Amino acid sequence: MFTKIRSTFQDRELMQQIVLLAWPTIMEQALQTVVQYADTAQVGAIGAQASAAVGLTGTMMWLINSPFFAMGMGVLSCISRSLGARDQGTAQRAAVQSVLLTLVLGLGVGAVTLGISPFLPGWLGGAEEIRRDASIYFAIVCMPMVFRASSIIFGSVLRATGNMKTPMLNNTVMNIANITLNFLLINPTRTITLGPVSFTMWGAGWGVTGAAIATALAYVAGGVLMWLAVYREPSLHLRGQKLRLHREVMGRCIKVGLPIAGERVITCLGQVLFTALIARLGTIAIAAHSIAITAEQAFYIPGYGMQAAAATLSGHAAGEGNEKKLMQCSSAITVMAVVLMTALSVLLFCFPAGMMSLFTRDAQVIQLGAQVLRIVAVSEPFFAVVIIIEGVFNGVGDTKVPFVISVASMWGVRILFTFVCVAVLHLGLVSVWLCMVADNLCRCFSLGTRYLRGGWKKGLFAGKS
């Protein structure tokens, strides 16, 4: 096995292909993380209460994005496999279906989220003093839902064609807009001193509301840019195409996407319950938790950046009927992700307090967040395996068993033991993050075992030489 992996790394053409696909997405993930850092830091400067208000609905944002990411992956799998098989017509029809999915999901999810926004903070168990801000933040961010769906689903369409640079550039514009608007809308008018020069900088001083408006406007910009890029993509030829339902192709996209959607929705519902359990521990605990989650995101960047490359290359290989290429690509990307995330985890373990202090000045929040970051650093290499193998399975359209594994691990390990730790044993945030690490280890073992056994490949290459 190690000999095969070494020979794969000596294949210059393959390694060049992996790097060319991976680096734009890694940069995109890095830029998104910078924006998340800027959001959290500027809100954190207001105080722990503001951080808790924004962090309370953070897991709901993951839930909201779930159907978009899932159907985006369904479209990606269909397009990448069609292009691998040189079936241009099916790839084009799948791109048309992505437009329908964006409109239906964007409008539907938007209506639901706006309807529940007044009640959500209470359902999540948030303290009275943060509920109003949390509700306003959630409602404003959810208003441009069609544009959010556009930025996610059409980004997957572009990646399926091997075009990783355009999503990166579009997200760069969106992120710059978000950071700039945050700076202007969160803070009040103030005097800024740069060396010998001082000047008055206008600011709206809207605090949490300003952060929400900045994010919403950034989604509008990102959604418009991503649609224009898909419309102009030369490999899809969407100009002049009618917006019509193609049942067979839509069915293929949904068949792949539904298990992913189910896995993400059920997992995110678990995250919502997870956050609600943490909310019982108080404002300091939920502020430390939400900030630590944000701080940790920087250390996922190589994994999630390479996941898109793994999904695209695996889909192309499956479409070509090339099992050797599939295993070479997936094994090489897994090793690369593990190495990079292991190196970053060492930094996270050594400097957790420094990471926390980027986002808040509250000493209690920093101390508690540093403890949990050091714990989760140990599991980062295992989480790298989970990220890449999920990408491989999604790319080839094998999503049902990973769905079962993720749901069983989330609810049977993370949620169950967190409930015991918080509600029964009355332990603190550290015990909760230990449960989260146990969930990551369980998923790594289960998905890794299935990948190595190889049964998932039988349907892909049956009857192909």
Side-chain angles (χ1 to χ4, degrees), residues 147-292:
F147 297 96
R148 188 191 301 201
S150 172
S151 67
I152 295 171
I153 294 175
F154 294 148
S156 294
V157 171
L158 292 170
R159 294 184 188 98
T161 67
N163 182 353
M164 305 292 189
K165 291 184 180 179
T166 301
M168 178 193 72
L169 294 173
N170 289 346
N171 277 299
T172 299
V173 173
M174 183 173 70
N175 293 336
I176 291 172
N178 196 3
I179 291 174
T180 303
L181 289 169
N182 270 339
F183 183 73
L184 295 174
L185 301 182
I186 292 176
N187 303 298
T189 300
R190 61 218 179 275
T191 300
I192 295 178
T193 301
L194 296 175
V197 179
S198 295
F199 59 94
T200 300
M201 172 60 68
W202 177 86
W206 292 340
V208 171
T209 300
I213 293 172
T215 300
L217 292 175
Y219 275 129
V220 172
V224 170
L225 289 173
M226 211 68 81
W227 156 244
L228 291 174
V230 167
Y231 185 71
R232 295 168 180 169
E233 174 58 41
S235 63
L236 297 175
H237 304 292
L238 286 184
R239 291 188 179 186
Q241 294 296 312
K242 292 183 178 180
L243 190 62
R244 62 175 64 175
L245 175 67
H246 191 286
R247 293 182 181 276
E248 181 184 353
V249 177
M250 179 66 86
R252 287 170 59 179
C253 296
I254 292 175
K255 184 179 179 181
V256 173
L258 268 183
I260 301 174
E263 182 263 325
R264 283 182 175 265
V265 167
I266 295 174
T267 299
C268 287
L269 285 172
Q271 291 282 10
V272 172
L273 178 56
F274 189 61
T275 302
L277 288 169
I278 294 170
R280 295 186 179 193
L281 302 175
T283 298
I284 294 297
I286 197 168
H289 172 75
S290 61
I291 291 174

Side-chain angles (χ1 to χ4, degrees), residues 281-347:
L281 302 175
T283 298
I284 294 297
I286 197 168
H289 172 75
S290 61
I291 291 174
I293 288 288
T294 299
E296 188 194 9
Q297 287 179 2
F299 302 87
Y300 296 163
I301 289 171
Y304 280 112
M306 290 184 174
Q307 186 188 59
T312 300
L313 288 173
S314 297
H316 286 174
E320 294 169 8
N322 192 333
E323 182 177 357
K324 180 181 178 182
K325 181 180 178 181
L326 170 62
M327 298 310 294
Q328 282 182 323
C329 293
S330 56
S331 298
I333 295 174
T334 301
V335 171
M336 292 166 69
V338 169
V339 169
L340 289 172
M341 285 183 64
T342 299
L344 289 175
S345 69
V346 173
L347 295 176

Side-chain angles (χ1 to χ4, degrees), residues 345-427:
S345 69
V346 173
L347 295 176
L348 182 62
F349 186 87
C350 293
F351 307 105
M355 292 299 301
M356 290 295 297
S357 64
L358 293 175
F359 311 110
T360 182
R361 301 185 187 95
D362 191 300
Q364 288 180 283
V365 173
I366 292 173
Q367 182 181 17
L368 184 56
Q371 292 180 51
V372 298
L373 283 178
R374 186 163 277 149
I375 290 169
V376 81
V378 178
S379 72
E380 296 297 289
F382 303 96
F383 192 48
V385 175
V386 173
I387 292 171
I388 302 304
I389 292 180
E390 281 183 344
V392 172
F393 289 159
N394 290 343
V396 302
D398 178 48
T399 54
K400 292 181 181 178
V401 175
F403 158 71
V404 173
I405 289 172
S406 294
V407 170
S409 181
M410 164 62 74
W411 288 85
V413 177
R414 183 181 300 202
I415 301 302
L416 176 61
F417 287 100
T418 296
F419 176 80
V420 171
C421 289
V422 174
V424 179
L425 301 178
H426 304 291
L427 300 176

Side-chain angles (χ1 to χ4, degrees), residues 89-122:
T90 299
Q92 186 181 74
R93 287 188 286 274
V96 173
Q97 305 314 295
S98 73
V99 179
L100 292 174
L101 288 168
T102 297
L103 293 173
V104 172
L105 290 175
L107 293 173
V109 173
V112 170
T113 50
L114 286 175
I116 66 172
S117 60
F119 317 104
L120 182 63

